Amino acid sequence: MSAGADKANDGRPLWLAVVASPLTMRLACLGAILLFWELAPRMEWISPVMLSTLSSTVMIGFANIDVFLANLGVTLGSLLLALVIALGGGAVVGVLLGSIRPLRNTLLPIMSSIYAVPLVVVYPVFTAWVGIGVESKVLFGGLYGFFPMLLATAAGIRTVDSRYMLAARSMGATRVQVILHVMLPAALPSVISGVRIGSALTAIGVVVAEMMAATAGIGFLITQNRTMFNTAEVYFGVLLVVVLAGTIDWLVSVFERRAADWYPQKVRAI
Amino acid sequence: MAGLSVVEAEQTAVSAGAGLRVENVTHVFETGAESLMALNGVSLEVEAETFYGIVGPSGCGKSSLLLMMAGLLQPSEGRIAIGDETVSKPLPEDIGVVFQESSLLPWKTARENVEFPLYLRGVDRRVRERAALEMLELVGLGEFANRRPHELSGGMKQRVAIARGFCQNPDILLMDEPFAALDEQTRMTLGDELLHLWDRNKKTVVFVTHSLTEAVYLCDKVAVMSARPGEILDIVDIDLPRPRTYDMMATEKFGRLRARIWELIRRTQQK
Ligand SMILES: Nc1ncnc2c1ncn2[C@@H]1O[C@H](COP(=O)(O)OP(=O)(O)O)[C@@H](O)[C@H]1O
Ligand SMILES: [Mg+2]
């Protein structure tokens, strides 16, 4: 290796730059976790009844892949419907509450109080009303993600810099033009963080609902195998939920990079 | 300026080469229990195509007065008028505003920001794009047309804001401390550029500043306001010839005018 290549990064040796790069570090952490997962039950640091080894989890999972995929499909279907309620409903109500002062002053505090309540406690009541079919988990998941989406949207609308609105009005913008060309774009970063939290919570809501009372879905599968002490199946289900959550988060960041590239990423809250 | 003339053709302004009259305007802000008088009986006659300065201690109501001139704030008493028409709402074809700090929309490029007033009034896409690009060329930012505000320096952003004001092409352009956030060298350069633009495309300009040198250098008349509640203390005629040049700053006359304004402000601040 030449001296020049050695000093590629801030005068640090190249090998150090590669080893200390965030990506390398992230992969190393992931590798360590996976290694621990394999070794801990194998070496009996953790009882195999509590935690199955990574290899047996994956093997059991792929042996029953058709069952898992069918249930994952059920979960995804419910999740998509729940996301429509959470993100669509939250955005519409958020815009209304954020921009109409009387509504904002009366309803917004109530909404943030409801958001602070752990909604899981009302799920039994919920199932009494709508049963334990698809409707209940769609509604429950939707409700779970609805409040953070609503609050983030309303906050984004409410905190739009008043200079932008004055400038737009002085240039002749109508009320509708102000909403379309100033308020919504200005609120976008906050709305996207609402999408991020809202969709994660919607996924939690759907899976939790499936775990508590359902007849199909990944959450149902996890609970069912749990009662039968099929540890490996339980963990494969968990693994699928993790992959699902990671995929949603990745999709949101792709959307964020495209939609709000004018927004300094460093300031992003969550 | 072909771009501007195209836009002008689309425009049906209420009055050509309009001036602005402020008639005995008083403004009281009601904030909850308290009420705060910001302006008290202000009258100004801004003749068409003059460069009219307003100076006064901070908090004396200059920005509020400008908002009222723009039809964005209703005076508690008195009225603002263009010709016979009372200004009671924004009149984008008659009055434009360049705000203190950049009020450019951060998600729009420089060009999109400059053409925004034309977009709002439904000007055809190609016409408004050309007008915006020409305006950007004029302020020396042709190459930066596709940059977003956060990629531009403070001086560049204010240039874009001024380009937007001229692209909107109202008869009256209100400017609220447009150079306040800039360093002295940049603000002097931008002052010259503004005079140059104004010379090619005469408008009535109302220019609020806290820099006395800037006021004397740019303006035909300077209204000096008292501390809150703002009243007009005096209107100083700046009878320096145009075009203005830097060497005028070293003349005795320039110094006398500046000192006259300073004397008025000094007294009101001691009050
Ligand atoms: N929207 C408002 N509500 C209440 N008070 C205001 C408002 N806008 C300005 N003021 C007050 O009115 C006075 C004049 O403000 P402003 O017009 O911004 O002064 P200037 O531009 O000369 O510094 C200040 O005391 C300010 O605090
Ligand atoms: Mg001000």
Side-chain angles (χ1 to χ4, degrees):
Chain A
M1 203 186 286
S2 78
D6 244 354
K7 305 228 181 244
N9 202 320
D10 306 334
R12 283 186 303 174
L14 187 61
W15 64 267
L16 189 60
V18 169
V19 169
S21 84
L23 182 64
T24 319
M25 286 302 182
R26 245 179 284 166
L27 289 176
C29 283
L30 187 63
I33 291 170
L34 293 180
L35 191 66
F36 179 79
W37 185 354
E38 181 63 33
L39 287 183
R42 191 171 290 277
M43 311 302 280
E44 306 244 340
W45 300 334
I46 295 176
S47 152
V49 184
M50 307 282 284
L51 179 66
S52 56
T53 61
L54 173 60
S55 50
S56 63
T57 302
V58 172
M59 265 164 0
I60 294 269
F62 279 99
N64 300 297
I65 196 70
D66 45 346
V67 179
F68 278 103
L69 285 185
N71 282 281
L72 185 64
V74 171
T75 302
L76 276 178
S78 313
L79 179 58
L80 284 180
L81 291 174
L83 283 175
V84 171
I85 296 177
L87 304 184
V92 170
V93 180
V95 167
L96 290 178
L97 293 200
S99 55
I100 304 173
R101 190 189 299 248
L103 289 182
R104 173 165 86 218
N105 292 341
T106 50
L107 293 182
L108 214 50
I110 302 179
M111 295 299 168
S112 18
S113 310
I114 297 180
Y115 179 42
V117 175
L119 291 177
V120 190
V121 298
V122 299
Y123 191 63
V125 185
F126 217 80
T127 52
W129 288 351
V130 287
I132 60 166
V134 178
E135 302 89 343
S136 78
K137 53 181 177 170
V138 167
L139 280 178
F140 187 71
L143 201 64
Y144 230 80
F146 173 79
F147 290 99
M149 181 65 186
L150 181 166
L151 292 172
T153 307
I157 294 279
R158 211 175 30 161
T159 53
V160 174
D161 195 328
S162 61
R163 272 176 313 170
Y164 299 156
M165 299 208 269
L166 283 177
R169 281 175 54 210
S170 77
M171 289 183 275
T174 61
R175 194 175 287 265
V176 173
Q177 283 175 324
V178 168
I179 292 179
L180 287 182
H181 295 288
V182 180
M183 289 173 55
L184 289 181
L188 196 61
S190 183
V191 170
I192 290 176
S193 86
V195 169
R196 183 184 294 277
I197 306 167
S199 48
L201 286 187
T202 305
I204 291 175
V206 168
V207 174
V208 164
E210 285 176 347
M211 292 174 83
M212 290 197 297
T215 50
I218 286 292
F220 162 76
L221 214 56
I222 291 174
T223 311
Q224 194 193 41
N225 281 299
R226 167 87 187 75
T227 52
M228 298 188 295
F229 293 98
N230 294 332
T231 309
E233 280 89 341
V234 170
Y235 279 99
F236 193 72
V238 172
L239 204 57
L240 288 182
V241 173
V242 169
V243 170
L244 180 64
T247 309
I248 292 174
D249 196 61
W250 174 74
L251 286 174
V252 175
S253 9
V254 169
F255 174 59
E256 181 170 36
R257 268 198 297 276
R258 287 171 165 271
D261 55 348
W262 54 271
Y263 182 70
Q265 297 287 316
K266 284 152 259 162
V267 193
R268 207 181 75 191
I270 300 168
Chain B
M1 281 195 285
L4 286 179
S5 50
V6 178
V7 175
E8 254 158 357
E10 307 244 343
Q11 228 174 299
T12 49
V14 178
S15 40
L20 191 72
R21 245 174 315 117
V22 178
E23 296 172 358
N24 208 13
V25 162
T26 294
H27 192 73
V28 180
F29 282 108
E30 309 283 354
T31 46
E34 283 178 49
S35 63
L36 180 144
M37 186 184 273
L39 291 167
N40 186 21
V42 170
S43 295
L44 294 174
E45 174 82 47
V46 183
E47 278 158 34
E49 302 192 353
T50 47
F51 207 116
Y52 204 101
I54 300 180
V55 297
S58 140
C60 75
K62 304 179 296 290
S63 296
S64 310
L65 181 59
L66 238 64
L67 287 182
M68 288 187 262
M69 290 177 173
L72 294 165
L73 179 69
Q74 297 310 311
S76 312
E77 282 171 43
R79 72 164 196 153
I80 314 259
I82 301 175
D84 293 331
E85 196 191 1
T86 302
V87 179
S88 58
K89 61 172 196 307
L91 303 169
E93 303 191 356
D94 298 307
I95 308 170
V97 192
V98 176
F99 286 92
Q100 180 161 5
E101 271 153 77
S102 177
S103 55
L104 301 177
L105 302 175
W107 52 88
K108 288 190 186 295
T109 63
R111 176 180 58 69
E112 287 165 344
N113 267 291
V114 173
E115 69 179 58
F116 191 48
L118 303 184
Y119 168 83
L120 290 174
R121 70 171 78 129
V123 173
D124 174 71
R125 183 200 190 93
R126 251 170 315 174
V127 176
R128 61 172 201 257
E129 279 186 9
R130 237 189 66 205
L133 282 175
E134 263 175 56
M135 247 359 277
L136 282 169
E137 294 282 349
L138 272 180
V139 297
L141 291 179
E143 296 164 56
F144 296 90
N146 294 321
R147 300 287 182 86
R148 302 260 167 79
H150 71 92
E151 300 172 284
L152 304 176
S153 70
M156 290 160 123
K157 277 191 267 203
Q158 269 331 63
R159 280 192 180 95
V160 177
I162 289 169
R164 181 170 71 178
F166 275 86
C167 198
Q168 181 180 336
N169 203 21
D171 291 322
I172 303 164
L173 199 53
L174 311 174
M175 308 184 88
D176 189 0
E177 305 196 27
F179 306 148
L182 308 178
D183 61 84
E184 196 183 350
Q185 291 152 37
T186 311
R187 69 189 297 163
M188 295 214 296
T189 314
L190 256 68
D192 266 338
E193 288 177 14
L194 176 61
L195 282 184
H196 202 67
L197 274 176
W198 176 70
D199 215 38
R200 299 176 61 156
N201 184 14
K202 273 282 164 62
K203 296 187 178 306
T204 312
V205 174
V206 179
F207 191 93
V208 173
T209 177
H210 58 240
S211 158
L212 305 188
T213 307
E214 197 169 77
V216 175
Y217 185 68
L218 297 176
C219 299
D220 297 312
K221 283 185 179 191
V222 176
V224 184
M225 289 175 70
S226 71
R228 204 183 71 222
E231 295 173 20
I232 302 295
L233 291 175
D234 200 359
I235 292 163
V236 179
D237 267 307
I238 311 294
D239 46 358
L240 296 167
R242 288 192 187 270
R244 302 280 163 87
T245 52
Y246 282 132
D247 45 17
M248 286 180 193
M249 287 188 191
T251 61
E252 198 207 321
K253 193 169 193 181
F254 194 99
R256 241 189 357 253
L257 289 164
R258 197 179 176 286
R260 164 98 187 101
I261 298 172
W262 172 234
E263 176 63 15
L264 289 162
I265 292 182
R266 197 176 59 89
R267 259 190 287 156
T268 181
Q269 276 174 337
Q270 280 168 351
K271 184 172 79 169

